[in-house]
Amino acid sequence: MDVDIPPPRVSTPPPLQPPPAPQQVPDTADPAAKARLASVHVTHFGGKAGAPIPDTPVTPNAYLLYEAALRGGTDKPRPGKYGPFSSEMQWKIAEWAKLDGPSASSFTRLLSIHEVTERLDLSFKNTTQLNDIIDKKLPCLRPKFISEEIVIADRSFDVYRRDIIACVRALYGDPKHNEYLCFAPERHYADEDKTQHLYHDFHTGRWWWDTQKAVEEKTPGATIIPVILSSDKTQVTLFRNKTAYPVYLTIGNLPKDIRRKPSRMGQVLVAYIPTTKLEHIKNKESRRRSMCNLFHACMRRILIGLKEAGISGVVMRSGDGVARRCHPIFAAYVGDYPEQVLVTCTYTGESPVCECPPDALVEFPCMHNPRNFQAAVEALGSIGAPDWGTRCANANIKPVQHPFWEDLPYVDVFRSITPDILHQLLQGVVKHLIGWITEAVGADELDARVRRLPLNHAIRPFLKGISSLSRVSGMEHKQICSFLLSVIGDLPHTSAITYSLMRATRGIIDFTYLSRYPVHSVETLKELEACLTKFHNNKHVFLNLGIRDNFNIPKLHFLNHYVRAIKLYGTADNYNTEATERLHIDFAKDAYRATNRKDEFKQMTKWLERREKIIAFGHYVEWRCNGEPPFPSTSSREALAKTHIRISFEDVSCPYEIKMTKRPSEKSVLLDTIESPSGYGATLFIVALARFIVQFCNPTLPHAHVDEAAHNIVLPFRRLPVFHHIKFVNTTFFGSETLDSIHAYPRTIGKTGKVTRLSRFDTAMIRVRPAAIGSTRKFDVGRVRVVFSIPPRGLETLFPINMQPPEHLAYVEWFSTFAAHPEAASGMYRLKRQLAGDGSPLVSVLPVSVIQSSVHLFPKWGQTVPVDWTNENILDRSSAFLLSNYKDQRTFFEYH
């Protein structure tokens, strides 16, 4: 049944609309949204690419092979579900001790308590005995670490590494990864004519397609394994400045959703590089050169075997036992700017991917050629020649002895350098931008505006401002991006300066959000470039204000290369350093804490090996307990692969489901409290509820008669149950996680008379039906004052038995409808609170089900923020607002 949403004193109130799929606000044409709604059209590489080796028998699946290793041979009796552990309890305790438990000494002390081991029936009485079971009785799926000595500048250093081919084989053959593996490149399109190219996972990029073509020309039937390396030095202690230098490896055959989550075991620690500073070398230039030589010497040792395997291929079996001729080929290197310079042997201050000189990094668009890989290899390969240094200088490359990539097949190291959203964009360009805006606005005014922003579920409140923050994380910079545009408006500058400042800032912020899209189309990549154009066309404002004198910043320059990298390797979340930062916790920091701080790397590698054994055994136990399910067929795997693009889009565009608590926050609230300005502030609550009752019971009643009928409604109650939160979830993709929420509650006063909780009444996007035929109006913004239910007594009295209203209702105050176009400078829609002629708000009671999500409003500040404005009262004090596109990634995706 359609029910009007009745604002008092409005002649033609917008009625409710049956729930449709979420749409944009207002109804604009977003290419990415169209791409997600259309069918994905796939072009396969074809031929023998990725095909199993013909006439090769399929071996038992990986779990059966693991079981054979567990029992020590096929002639031995089959072990129980829990292998060397006699019971589920014993296994769970061992698993807890190694993955989640206390330190080794604390676990030993726990087991030494009288009768603990006897009552739990444990076969191990301390950590040493448990370690002995793990070391001797659990198979090792991933290779063990070996320690090798490398001599640089007359000093020897230990590098702990694993066999890289064995690491690739372990990732490729992991039974948990079997159903997700991709064996050949594909081209994905959003349209049937195949003009709208889509890029998402690694196999949709051009690099894999081009490399597959090159390998197929020489040895048909190859399965390419794109090797993705990453490294980053990290501090493992808060004090003493102790560091580790891990090198991680993953493969592009796995979907990015697997590679990004440490729990999915899609990354493997392949080595620890020495962290020495070579302080015995006194000459700074010689020391820097020796550090570079040490890094490349270690990497050459780590990557031993990759050259031959990349050219000739090696037989590898996936988790289902199917054999393919695999060619592991170095594809991409993930790292921050210092790592990029180190890997490419380029100079700090220059671009690691193109020939742009340091004093021309500001140029846009970048018209400089990519770095010449062949010229660099030839120059570096002339080592020993008298003019070796000159040749390297002519190639604009550091004279490094045998960089690790010089003889790897199908490699262009300059092309392998990928964008880095964390360090390059958030911790680099955005950090610069915040500093520039702080100077333009003034630190005090900036902080005053930030402190007064309305609260929202998705946005962290910075109650002390942002100008004095130190050691700001990438997540905090991401949060600041969500409101940075709000602090720029109404500055005491000329309108031209404010306009350019807004446009320049918007260009970078839009680029930051667009670059994080999980799927890109040709159109969204054009938008990405348009954002850069917007910034560069307006960056002169920072020069005019004396904030900058140039923009020759390598991280800013690299934004020119994002589109190229996305077309080569898929979207930027394929190679973001956020993943490696998270890996540092497991593979470096936690590993170090498990040692006694003496000869730590030997202990760290052993700790990691035991942890990996426990995880692998846990997967085997899970398989046994689930009834030993068969592996999915090839057709099932292909069907699953086709859902990856849909799942990626759902990450930022999934429909919300409303979740209300079973019991109200307040069981019985007086109507006087609901209408009181010091309570919920729903000043016209009784009138609005009466209009709702009339329209619900008489949906065909003309609007002119609604007010008259409402005067005859007498409410049979003086109290209502009230809910303080509306939660939004998506159980299909995110389980019970709260994705968004709306708060509506008054101040709470403690026993001492002090305010213990400030009032909060959030704003929301509300679905309405078009006000007139031909109108594009689908949504309005309202402020939720109170969420309530009508008690049973009221239902019996006010509504016919066959016309029961929704269980949860909301009282909202309306904002103005959307204009035809957003503001030119900010790209956001301007809103005002709708008021009647007597100054009272225009309000409605409506079902909670028509509320789509929370929204964030940016106040129009005036040149200086009034001192009496707070984040509690700003929605009442400010006369105009801008509807933020930047509340979160989903909001930007839907509204941009």
Side-chain angles (χ1 to χ4, degrees):
M1 175 180 295
D2 289 340
V3 183
D4 287 342
I5 300 177
R9 302 178 181 84
V10 175
S11 58
T12 55
L16 286 181
Q17 178 185 11
Q23 301 181 45
Q24 293 175 283
V25 182
D27 191 22
T28 56
D30 180 5
K34 290 181 178 179
R36 82 165 181 272
L37 296 173
S39 299
V40 177
H41 302 270
V42 179
T43 297
H44 299 278
F45 186 87
K48 299 180 180 179
I53 300 175
D55 303 324
T56 301
V58 177
T59 61
N61 67 56
Y63 287 123
L64 294 176
L65 293 177
Y66 179 89
E67 184 179 280
L70 185 65
R71 59 183 171 177
T74 56
D75 56 332
K76 301 291 180 64
R78 191 180 195 194
K81 289 181 181 179
Y82 305 105
F85 303 100
S86 59
S87 65
E88 180 181 11
M89 178 185 289
Q90 189 176 141
W91 152 242
K92 288 295 184 181
I93 290 173
E95 183 184 38
W96 168 80
K98 287 302 174 185
L99 300 185
D100 307 302
S103 65
S105 57
S106 296
F107 184 61
T108 296
R109 287 198 296 273
L110 173 66
L111 297 187
S112 66
I113 297 174
H114 182 61
E115 291 189 352
V116 166
T117 55
E118 290 79 7
R119 287 176 178 263
L120 295 177
D121 191 26
L122 300 181
S123 60
F124 47 86
K125 297 184 178 181
N126 50 52
T127 301
T128 301
Q129 292 181 8
L130 175 57
N131 289 341
D132 196 52
I133 293 173
I134 296 171
D135 293 340
K136 295 179 179 179
K137 296 185 179 181
L138 293 187
C140 186
L141 292 184
R142 295 187 173 183
K144 294 184 177 182
F145 284 89
I146 58 174
S147 174
E148 293 184 341
E149 192 176 81
I150 290 181
V151 178
I152 294 289
D154 300 324
R155 294 288 178 92
S156 62
F157 303 96
D158 291 328
V159 55
Y160 289 83
R161 71 173 184 89
R162 286 165 151 168
D163 180 87
I164 192 167
I165 301 301
C167 288
V168 172
R169 193 186 301 276
L171 285 174
Y172 181 84
D174 191 323
K176 279 288 187 179
H177 298 159
N178 178 71
E179 60 185 311
Y180 304 107
L181 286 175
C182 180
F183 302 111
E186 297 173 350
R187 288 175 175 166
H188 288 195
Y189 300 90
D191 60 324
E192 195 171 352
D193 295 333
K194 298 186 176 180
T195 59
Q196 282 291 321
H197 202 143
L198 297 178
Y199 304 93
H200 49 102
D201 268 306
F202 209 91
H203 70 286
T204 63
R206 295 176 180 175
W207 177 90
W208 195 338
W209 190 281
D210 294 341
T211 305
Q212 188 80 49
K213 185 184 294 184
V215 174
E216 290 295 299
E217 289 176 355
K218 298 178 181 178
T219 53
T223 297
I224 302 295
I225 298 185
V227 174
I228 305 170
L229 298 173
S230 55
S231 62
D232 185 26
K233 190 179 294 185
T234 183
Q235 191 164 321
V236 295
T237 58
L238 294 177
F239 308 102
R240 297 174 56 204
N241 202 29
K242 191 69 178 178
T243 58
Y245 202 160
V247 179
Y248 305 111
L249 176 146
T250 187
I251 57 177
N253 310 78
L254 293 173
K256 58 188 178 183
D257 296 329
I258 303 294
R259 288 184 270 119
R260 285 193 313 227
K261 298 176 181 176
S263 62
R264 304 301 293 270
M265 300 294 288
Q267 302 256 7
V268 60
L269 176 69
V270 71
Y272 286 119
I273 294 177
T275 58
T276 176
K277 296 181 180 179
L278 298 178
E279 294 177 344
H280 67 287
I281 302 176
K282 303 304 179 183
N283 182 277
K284 291 183 180 180
E285 180 63 30
S286 298
R287 186 188 307 148
R288 284 196 293 265
R289 189 173 300 176
S290 297
M291 292 282 288
C292 194
N293 285 327
L294 174 61
F295 172 82
H296 283 274
C298 291
M299 291 300 297
R300 282 182 68 86
R301 195 69 62 87
I302 293 166
L303 301 185
I304 283 178
L306 206 58
K307 175 182 178 181
E308 182 61 30
I311 295 173
S312 305
V314 292
V315 176
M316 292 189 184
R317 295 184 182 274
S318 48
D320 55 4
V322 177
R324 291 175 174 84
R325 194 186 78 245
C326 297
H327 294 248
I329 297 173
F330 170 48
Y333 205 102
V334 181
D336 56 14
Y337 180 69
E339 289 294 306
Q340 294 172 352
V341 168
L342 184 61
V343 167
T344 56
C345 304
T346 51
Y347 290 95
T348 300
E350 297 187 356
S351 170
V353 299
C354 73
E355 295 178 347
C356 181
D359 58 354
L361 294 174
V362 66
E363 293 180 4
F364 178 83
C366 178
M367 305 303 292
H368 298 276
N369 294 325
R371 284 183 177 266
N372 191 323
F373 177 72
Q374 195 56 43
V377 170
E378 291 175 0
L380 292 167
S382 64
I383 184 172
D387 59 344
W388 179 52
T390 303
R391 293 185 187 183
C392 291
N394 293 337
N396 195 24
I397 208 85
K398 289 179 183 177
V400 175
Q401 300 176 16
H402 303 297
F404 72 85
W405 38 259
E406 67 176 352
D407 57 354
L408 293 179
Y410 309 106
V411 166
D412 180 341
V413 72
F414 305 121
R415 188 179 62 173
S416 298
I417 298 301
T418 57
D420 173 20
I421 289 178
L422 176 60
H423 294 99
Q424 198 173 72
L425 196 52
L426 295 174
Q427 299 282 60
V429 176
V430 170
K431 182 179 180 180
H432 283 299
L433 181 65
I434 293 170
W436 303 339
I437 290 175
T438 302
E439 289 192 50
V441 178
D444 291 341
E445 181 68 17
L446 175 79
D447 291 339
R449 296 183 176 199
V450 170
R451 289 196 299 268
R452 289 164 171 80
L453 285 171
L455 300 179
N456 184 272
H457 170 86
I459 298 174
R460 168 189 162 178
F462 290 85
L463 300 180
K464 295 184 179 180
I466 60 174
S467 65
S468 60
L469 293 176
S470 61
R471 299 180 66 86
V472 185
S473 68
M475 181 58 70
E476 288 171 325
H477 276 133
K478 196 182 298 183
Q479 285 284 321
I480 292 172
C481 283
S482 65
F483 59 76
L484 193 58
L485 270 177
S486 71
V487 302
I488 301 175
D490 307 321
L491 294 178
H493 296 296
T494 64
S495 58
I497 287 179
T498 301
Y499 178 86
S500 294
L501 190 61
M502 186 75 77
R503 296 278 291 178
T505 303
R506 181 181 157 203
I508 294 298
I509 300 301
D510 283 358
F511 188 97
T512 302
Y513 277 79
L514 275 166
S515 65
R516 302 207 304 268
Y517 271 15
V519 183
H520 272 291
S521 67
V522 173
E523 294 300 320
T524 58
L525 292 180
K526 288 180 181 178
E527 280 193 63
L528 204 59
E529 292 182 324
C531 293
L532 276 187
T533 302
K534 192 183 303 174
F535 168 76
H536 284 283
N537 287 347
N538 293 276
K539 66 177 181 289
H540 59 81
V541 67
F542 298 110
L543 302 174
N544 297 341
L545 292 173
I547 295 172
R548 293 287 304 180
D549 55 11
N550 70 77
F551 291 91
N552 292 316
I553 304 170
K555 292 181 179 181
L556 178 61
H557 166 82
F558 202 100
L559 303 191
N560 290 281
H561 302 290
Y562 270 57
V563 171
R564 170 199 63 86
I566 289 170
K567 290 180 177 179
L568 280 174
Y569 302 116
T571 49
D573 51 358
N574 276 287
Y575 33 78
N576 189 2
T577 52
E578 282 183 337
T580 56
E581 289 291 322
R582 176 59 183 84
L583 293 176
H584 287 337
I585 297 175
D586 292 337
F587 294 154
K589 301 179 189 296
D590 286 350
Y592 180 79
R593 295 188 188 105
T595 71
N596 61 9
R597 282 57 167 176
K598 298 177 181 178
D599 194 16
E600 61 272 8
F601 287 106
K602 184 176 181 180
Q603 298 176 61
M604 289 166 68
T605 54
K606 195 66 177 178
W607 182 85
L608 286 167
E609 287 174 3
R610 289 170 178 153
R611 182 183 176 88
E612 289 171 348
K613 283 185 174 184
I614 287 289
I615 292 173
F617 183 71
H619 292 163
Y620 166 77
V621 170
E622 180 185 3
W623 176 72
R624 287 284 300 270
C625 292
N626 288 338
E628 305 177 18
F631 281 77
S633 63
T634 302
S635 59
S636 300
R637 183 190 286 116
E638 290 176 354
L640 182 66
K642 291 179 181 178
T643 68
H644 283 161
I645 186 171
R646 181 178 62 81
I647 292 173
S648 293
F649 269 124
E650 294 296 349
D651 287 348
V652 293
S653 66
C654 65
Y656 283 166
E657 306 159 9
I658 292 176
K659 180 181 179 181
M660 301 295 296
T661 56
K662 292 182 179 180
R663 296 179 178 84
S665 306
E666 298 289 344
K667 293 181 179 180
S668 181
V669 179
L670 286 169
L671 295 184
D672 291 343
T673 302
I674 291 176
E675 291 198 323
S676 169
S678 61
Y680 290 83
T683 54
L684 298 170
F685 180 82
I686 294 176
V687 175
L689 180 56
R691 287 176 57 91
F692 171 81
I693 294 169
V694 169
Q695 286 195 305
F696 188 88
C697 296
N698 305 278
T700 60
L701 187 68
H703 294 302
H705 298 160
V706 171
D707 279 335
E708 181 181 348
H711 285 304
N712 299 322
I713 297 294
V714 177
L715 301 181
F717 47 79
R718 298 303 300 168
R719 296 174 178 270
L720 287 175
V722 171
F723 300 80
H724 287 170
H725 306 280
I726 302 173
K727 294 184 178 181
F728 298 91
V729 299
N730 185 289
T731 54
T732 303
F733 295 99
F734 296 96
S736 61
E737 178 185 353
T738 300
L739 303 178
D740 195 7
S741 67
I742 291 173
H743 300 245
Y745 49 75
R747 275 189 175 189
T748 301
I749 309 296
K751 294 181 179 179
T752 60
K754 292 184 178 180
V755 176
T756 58
R757 183 183 66 180
L758 296 176
S759 63
R760 178 173 170 182
F761 301 99
D762 289 351
T763 48
M765 190 65 68
I766 300 169
R767 174 173 42 80
V768 297
R769 191 192 299 167
I773 296 174
S775 171
T776 58
R777 185 178 173 205
K778 291 182 174 64
F779 295 91
D780 276 340
V781 171
R783 188 182 186 191
V784 179
R785 279 289 185 176
V786 60
V787 180
F788 64 97
S789 291
I790 297 177
R793 179 183 173 187
L795 295 176
E796 296 172 359
T797 305
L798 299 172
F799 298 93
I801 193 169
N802 61 337
M803 294 182 66
Q804 293 298 294
E807 180 181 359
H808 299 102
L809 301 173
Y811 171 98
V812 301
E813 298 173 349
W814 292 105
F815 288 82
S816 57
T817 58
F818 293 105
H821 302 286
E823 286 190 351
S826 67
M828 294 182 281
Y829 288 89
R830 188 185 181 99
L831 300 173
K832 290 185 176 181
R833 285 180 286 117
Q834 287 203 62
L835 302 176
D838 61 359
S840 62
L842 299 184
V843 301
S844 295
V845 168
L846 45 83
V848 167
S849 60
V850 301
I851 298 177
Q852 303 296 293
S853 66
S854 72
V855 296
H856 196 221
L857 299 184
F858 293 160
K860 298 291 285 185
W861 303 101
Q863 291 192 0
T864 304
V865 178
V867 295
D868 61 334
W869 286 14
T870 66
N871 62 9
E872 183 186 29
N873 65 24
I874 195 164
L875 290 174
D876 299 310
R877 300 294 177 87
S878 180
S879 61
F881 304 87
L882 293 176
L883 174 63
S884 172
N885 297 334
Y886 306 99
K887 178 178 74 95
D888 51 29
Q889 194 72 19
R890 180 185 187 272
T891 301
F892 183 84
F893 186 80
E894 294 291 338
Y895 300 171
H896 176 68

